[in-house]
């Protein structure tokens, strides 16, 4: 039976949907997407599957409005991170009002709330359309969301990632950079011939650390604090007895709303240019990936409507927050869809003991229901 929130969530957790791009051999979203589509069809809602890549399925399900109302997207992701260190990740257990298991919190709890909210939308006969998009690959490269956004739009979107029932209106973006220093390979006994690419990367690291410190002195975003920068991976050298001819460093920069990939790349270029006074110092830098930060005005209609609904459900005004980690909300916002993030309480996302508070999923569902009745009326 999957007619109650805990039962439906339990069924979703039992379906392994580990992201195969993140974890080689991961099962992927095929089975869970099929389950979600079948569940919706059984409840009289037509659902389509969108295949971003072979085996990487997302679900799109629309409850058509009677016409003239505002349209709304409800969003959750189908995939989870891996399960290393967990003994029974796909056997959900309930203790003290919490459900434990991989994906309970991030984010099958939100998905279960979205599914029941869509049934409520159907029963409410609203003027505007309500569309559920349950997407693949959020935990890796968001190919699911990118593919679905070619086919779906709306006047607003709610992402139901966990927010502890607070209203999240901002998160950081990030950029990935590859920096390579070029030296000259030579026998270790011939300093007259060799140029040490690893030592030159040391200069780069010193300057990047300085840039990182500089970022902490800049004006803080009210919800997100400062941007940041760190070294992630480094490789270089051929063998112990030779001068290394190259060294490659991968760097991640976390960005704030208003910072562009061009700006942050330019800052890194300036650091490298400052080192180029040494004619032996040769370096390349390229931006390999960028994901936008996310921010929406607190007085945007969807934020206001959702906050009022949550106040009604919770008996107090929910906090307005920002979150440090990146989410698909940035892609929805970049597609021109005003977006807000609101979801249940719990803990252990990406950790070995993951759990969600079941009462908070119910409160999330009630908040979604009141919001869509108000927004799409
Ligand atoms: Zn998530």
């Amino acid at each position: 039976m999957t007619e109650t929130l805990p039962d439906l969530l339990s069924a979703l957790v039992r379906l392994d949907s580990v992201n195969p791009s993140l974890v080689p051999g991961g099962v992927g979203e095929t089975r869970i997407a099929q389950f979600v589509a079948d569940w919706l069809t059984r409840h009289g809602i037509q659902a389509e599957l969108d295949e971003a890549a072979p085996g990487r399925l997302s679900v799109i399900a629309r409850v058509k409005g009677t016409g003239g109302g505002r349209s709304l997207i409800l969003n959750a992701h189908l995939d989870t991170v891996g399960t290393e260190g967990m003994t029974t990740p796909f056997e959900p257990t309930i203790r003290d009002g919490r459900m434990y298991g991989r994906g309970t919190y991030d984010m099958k709890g939100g998905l279960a709330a979205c599914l029941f909210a869509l049934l409520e939308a159907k029963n409410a006969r609203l003027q505007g359309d309500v569309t559920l998009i349950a997407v693949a690959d959020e935990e890796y490269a968001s190919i699911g969301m990118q593919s679905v956004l070619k086919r779906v739009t709306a006047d607003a979107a709610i992402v139901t990632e966990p927010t502890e029932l607070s209203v999240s209106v901002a998160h950081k973006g990030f950029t990935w950079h590859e920096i390579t220093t070029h030296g000259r390979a030579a026998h270790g006994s011939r300093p007259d011939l060799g140029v040490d690419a690893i030592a030159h990367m040391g200069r780069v690291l010193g300057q990047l650390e300085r840039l990182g410190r500089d970022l902490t002195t800049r004006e803080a975003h009210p919800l997100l604090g400062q941007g940041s920068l760190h070294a992630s991976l480094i490789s270089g050298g051929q063998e112990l007895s030779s001068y290394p001819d190259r060294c490659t460093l991968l760097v991640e920069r976390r960005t704030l709303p208003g910072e562009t990939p061009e700006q942050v790349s330019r800052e890194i270029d300036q650091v490298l240019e400052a080192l180029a006074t040494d004619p032996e110092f040769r370096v390349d830098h390229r931006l390999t990936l960028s994901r936008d930060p996310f921010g929406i005005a607190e007085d945007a209609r969807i934020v206001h409507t959702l906050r009022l609904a949550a106040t009604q459900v919770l008996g107090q005004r929910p906090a307005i927050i920002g979150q440090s980690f990146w989410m698909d909300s940035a892609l929805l916002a970049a597609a021109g869809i005003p977006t807000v993030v609101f979801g249940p309480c719990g803990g252990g996302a990406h950790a070995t003991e993951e759990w969600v508070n079941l009462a908070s999923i119910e409160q999330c569902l009630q908040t979604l229901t009141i919001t869509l009745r108000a927004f799409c009326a």
Side-chain angles (χ1 to χ4, degrees):
M1 282 292 284
T2 50
E3 302 309 309
T4 68
L5 264 174
D7 287 348
L8 177 59
L9 174 55
S10 183
L12 292 167
V13 173
R14 281 177 200 284
L15 290 165
D16 176 350
S17 60
V18 170
N19 188 317
S21 302
L22 192 66
V23 182
V27 162
E29 300 88 354
T30 304
R31 281 171 59 216
I32 194 169
Q34 199 66 61
F35 173 90
V36 166
D38 289 347
W39 189 90
L40 288 165
T41 309
R42 262 192 287 126
H43 289 87
I45 296 170
Q46 238 191 339
E48 311 168 49
L49 296 173
D50 180 83
E51 192 167 27
R56 308 305 304 275
L57 298 178
S58 300
V59 182
I60 303 172
R62 183 174 288 118
V63 169
K64 285 250 359 123
T66 54
R70 280 180 291 270
S71 57
L72 184 66
I73 285 172
L74 300 176
N75 165 246
H77 62 80
L78 296 169
D79 58 320
T80 71
V81 295
T83 59
E84 207 176 282
M86 299 176 86
T87 43
T88 53
F90 307 117
E91 286 174 31
T93 51
I94 298 178
R95 285 197 308 277
D96 303 327
R98 295 171 169 190
M99 187 182 289
Y100 291 81
R102 176 53 86 227
T104 48
Y105 180 55
D106 182 16
M107 60 169 294
K108 291 177 180 178
L111 174 60
C114 285
L115 285 165
F116 276 104
L118 200 63
L119 297 195
E120 297 286 346
K122 178 169 168 273
N123 297 333
R125 302 187 54 77
L126 304 164
Q127 286 188 294
D129 296 355
V130 180
T131 305
L132 167 75
I133 57 174
V135 299
D137 197 41
E138 195 275 345
E139 297 288 1
Y140 188 71
S142 299
I143 60 172
M145 180 61 90
Q146 291 177 76
S147 173
V148 164
L149 281 174
K150 290 180 193 150
R151 300 169 55 180
V152 173
T153 189
D155 296 318
I158 304 171
V159 174
T160 56
E161 290 269 16
T163 64
E164 317 309 304
L165 299 172
S166 294
V167 178
S168 173
V169 296
H171 66 67
K172 292 182 194 176
F174 63 90
T175 55
W176 286 351
H177 305 262
E178 184 185 277
I179 299 171
T180 301
T181 49
H182 301 275
R184 193 180 312 117
H187 193 278
S189 67
R190 296 297 304 272
D192 53 320
L193 298 178
V195 175
D196 185 342
I198 295 177
H200 284 185
M201 189 59 85
R203 300 180 194 175
V204 174
L205 284 164
Q207 289 302 314
L208 290 178
E209 206 178 0
R210 181 177 296 188
L211 174 59
R213 276 199 300 275
D214 176 60
L215 294 179
T216 67
T217 66
R218 294 186 192 173
E219 197 186 340
H221 183 278
L223 297 172
L224 299 173
Q226 272 108 357
S228 61
L229 174 89
H230 66 93
S232 305
L233 290 164
I234 189 163
S235 63
Q238 308 84 266
E239 67 271 308
L240 194 48
S241 56
S242 300
Y243 277 78
D245 69 341
R246 62 158 59 208
C247 181
T248 299
L249 176 72
L250 305 182
V251 172
E252 181 179 74
R253 168 81 153 82
R254 294 280 168 162
T255 57
L256 300 174
E259 289 184 320
T260 66
E262 293 73 27
Q263 270 171 15
V264 302
S265 272
R266 181 75 202 119
E267 277 179 1
I268 291 176
D269 283 338
Q270 281 166 351
V271 161
L272 300 175
E273 281 160 18
L275 293 167
T277 48
D278 176 353
E280 298 275 38
F281 181 86
R282 288 197 300 127
V283 67
D284 299 326
H285 163 219
R286 61 191 190 95
L287 178 74
T288 57
L289 183 76
S290 86
R291 288 279 182 254
D292 288 342
F294 161 72
I296 184 170
E298 287 178 30
D299 60 359
R301 184 187 291 270
I302 187 59
V303 178
H304 182 70
T305 308
L306 182 115
R307 204 172 183 210
L308 272 182
T311 304
Q312 218 176 308
V313 172
L314 305 174
Q316 59 186 40
R317 264 161 83 80
I320 294 271
I321 61 165
Q323 288 169 294
S324 58
F325 50 89
W326 190 87
M327 294 181 275
D328 273 352
S329 24
L331 295 175
L332 285 157
I337 305 169
T339 298
V340 65
V341 188
F342 182 81
C345 310
H350 302 209
T352 51
E353 188 177 73
E354 179 175 352
W355 58 276
V356 70
N357 175 307
L358 289 170
S360 75
I361 305 176
E362 183 62 49
Q363 289 170 310
C364 180
L365 166 60
Q366 288 171 16
T367 302
L368 293 178
T369 303
I370 297 171
T371 302
L372 57 89
R373 282 174 195 262
F375 191 82
C376 307

